[in-house]
């Protein structure tokens, strides 16, 4: 396939490009800072010569959007919203203008759209969209509003010849430097890998290999459109998630953190505690119903595999 990936230079883009190239696909990445021959410049807001790459492509996978790992100031929230909505709209305009539009458009989305919950899992059919639920800080509704606007921009794009999928993706656990797994792994190695605020909140996640395989599945599965949860089938509580990660990294103890300690740490790291404290209990009902089979359905095997990759990298660097 000829595949165009807007916003494909972040951690998720690196994982996806590596996996899709290995599968034999031809990849063009749209980025503000082209660094490779297969990179084209775009600004994520306006049409330009980059749109020629979409005309005649088989698929578009839009990953564009400002990182959520930041303080949730008004300025940063506005940037998060604009970068997601504007890029989605302009990709839609490019597809609509194409003489040979792509058959499928996979659009990045987020599992954060679902409500903070300790109760039943959220699937695509019966899941509760968040915003104002009991037990959640009021400002968390900002993330929900951004996620809904992101999906609305996809829905509104006038692309009748192109199948559209909104990937409500959980945290992708990858070997990439700066990824969620990398950050959590380094915390564990420093003795800071205990439960946060009691650790009852659920963590939804997906191994990088299954993320790439799920994307490839969605590219081919013509019966799937609309919202699709891209996550492993077994979310687990944060305290169990971190205990398993500690074991995988060979660390016996992890210092627990109270909510106020998490707030102080997030301030130092210039990020927000929603990423740690929101209970995301999301399951991939539509993927599994369509026949997708996970290589790493459980966190034990996924953490062990990723920790093994990290150890090998560490040995190589130390040699």
């Amino acid at each position: 396939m000829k595949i165009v990936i807007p916003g494909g230079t972040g951690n998720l883009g690196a994982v996806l490009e590596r996996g899709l190239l290995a599968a034999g696909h031809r990849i063009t990445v749209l980025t503000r800072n082209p660094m490779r021959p297969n990179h084209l410049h775009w600004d994520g807001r306006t049409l330009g010569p980059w749109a020629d790459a979409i005309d005649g492509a088989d698929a578009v996978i839009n990953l564009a959007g400002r990182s959520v790992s930041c303080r949730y100031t008004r300025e940063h929230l506005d940037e998060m919203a604009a970068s997601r909505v504007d890029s989605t709209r302009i990709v839609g305009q490019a597809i609509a203008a194409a003489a040979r539009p792509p058959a499928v458009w996979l659009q990045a989305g987020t599992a954060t759209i679902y409500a903070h919950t300790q109760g039943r899992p959220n699937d695509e059919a019966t899941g509760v969209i968040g915003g104002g639920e009991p037990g959640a800080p009021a400002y968390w509704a900002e993330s929900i509003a951004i996620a809904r606007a992101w999906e609305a921009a996809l829905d509104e794009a006038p692309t009748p010849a192109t199948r559209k999928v909104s990937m409500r993706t959980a945290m992708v656990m990858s070997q990439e430097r700066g990824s969620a797994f990398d950050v959590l792994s380094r915390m564990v190695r420093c003795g800071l890998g205990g439960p946060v605020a009691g650790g009852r909140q659920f963590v939804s996640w997906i191994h990088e290999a299954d993320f790439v395989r799920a994307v490839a599945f969605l590219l081919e599965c013509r019966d799937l459109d609309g919202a699709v949860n891209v996550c492993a089938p077994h979310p687990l509580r944060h305290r169990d998630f971190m205990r398993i990660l500690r074991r995988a990294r060979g660390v016996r103890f992890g210092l627990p953190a109270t909510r106020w300690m998490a707030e102080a740490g997030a301030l130092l790291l210039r990020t927000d505690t929603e990423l740690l404290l929101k209970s995301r209990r999301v399951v991939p009902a539509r993927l599994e119903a369509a026949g997708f089979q996970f290589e790493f359905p459980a966190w034990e095997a996924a953490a062990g595999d990723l920790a093994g990759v990290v150890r090998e990298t560490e040995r190589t660097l130390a040699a």
Side-chain angles (χ1 to χ4, degrees):
M1 279 188 177
K2 179 183 176 184
I3 302 172
V4 179
I5 308 180
T9 54
N11 284 329
L12 209 55
V15 167
L16 194 55
E17 182 178 9
R18 183 170 61 244
L20 293 177
L21 285 173
H25 298 292
R26 292 174 293 156
I27 306 298
T28 298
V29 173
L30 305 184
T31 173
R32 288 180 172 83
N33 299 296
M35 301 293 289
R36 298 178 184 174
N38 68 324
H39 288 188
L40 293 177
H41 179 267
W42 83 325
D43 64 6
R45 297 189 307 272
T46 55
L47 288 174
W50 59 266
D52 293 340
I54 286 180
D55 195 339
D58 298 299
V60 173
I61 307 171
N62 184 21
L63 303 178
R66 189 200 195 286
S67 172
V68 298
S69 183
C70 62
R71 297 298 294 171
Y72 283 9
T73 64
R74 182 72 266 157
E75 179 184 4
H76 289 164
L77 288 166
D78 289 345
E79 289 174 357
M80 279 191 271
S83 63
R84 285 159 172 73
V85 172
D86 291 349
S87 62
T88 303
R89 285 176 178 164
I90 204 63
V91 167
Q93 289 179 28
I95 293 174
R100 295 170 297 161
V104 57
W105 171 9
L106 304 187
Q107 173 62 48
T110 176
T112 296
I113 197 169
Y114 293 110
H116 169 75
T117 182
Q118 304 281 348
R120 64 178 177 80
N122 286 307
D123 63 21
E124 298 92 340
T126 65
V128 178
I129 303 301
E133 61 268 29
Y139 81 95
W140 286 6
E142 295 271 8
S143 296
I144 307 299
I146 292 171
R148 297 183 74 158
W150 204 2
E151 292 193 0
L154 176 68
D155 292 341
E156 293 164 4
T159 57
T162 300
R163 176 169 58 91
K164 299 184 290 188
V165 178
S166 180
M167 300 187 296
R168 293 177 174 173
T169 307
M171 285 193 297
V172 178
M173 297 295 159
S174 80
Q175 59 186 284
E176 295 295 316
R177 185 71 173 174
S179 68
F181 182 83
D182 177 56
V183 172
L184 293 171
S185 185
R186 283 188 279 124
M187 289 176 62
V188 163
R189 297 291 286 177
C190 292
L192 302 175
V196 175
R200 295 188 67 249
Q201 65 274 30
F202 279 89
V203 179
S204 288
W205 58 277
I206 186 169
H207 188 289
E208 62 176 353
D210 281 330
F211 174 72
V212 174
R213 293 176 62 250
V215 166
F217 185 85
L218 290 169
L219 289 173
E220 298 286 355
C221 188
R222 297 181 181 180
D223 294 334
L224 284 175
D225 61 6
V228 175
N229 293 343
V230 181
C231 55
H234 301 298
L236 67 171
R237 294 192 186 275
H238 179 266
R239 62 189 176 219
D240 298 319
F241 182 91
M242 296 306 296
R243 173 179 50 79
I244 291 167
L245 179 55
R246 292 197 305 272
R247 184 191 305 151
R249 294 295 281 138
V251 176
R252 290 188 176 185
F253 175 76
L255 184 69
T258 62
R259 183 179 290 266
W260 73 262
M261 291 168 66
E263 293 286 357
L267 183 61
L268 288 173
L269 294 172
R270 297 183 180 180
T271 189
D272 196 274
T273 53
E274 183 198 32
L275 303 174
L276 280 175
L277 299 181
K278 181 169 181 177
S279 187
R280 298 170 175 85
R281 194 176 188 185
V282 184
V283 291
R286 296 192 70 198
L287 271 178
E288 291 194 306
F292 182 77
Q293 295 185 345
F294 287 85
E295 183 178 354
F296 296 98
W299 178 231
E300 288 87 348
D305 178 77
L306 290 167
V309 172
V310 171
R311 283 193 296 270
E312 185 61 33
T313 301
E314 290 171 345
R315 282 195 292 266
T316 300
L317 292 175

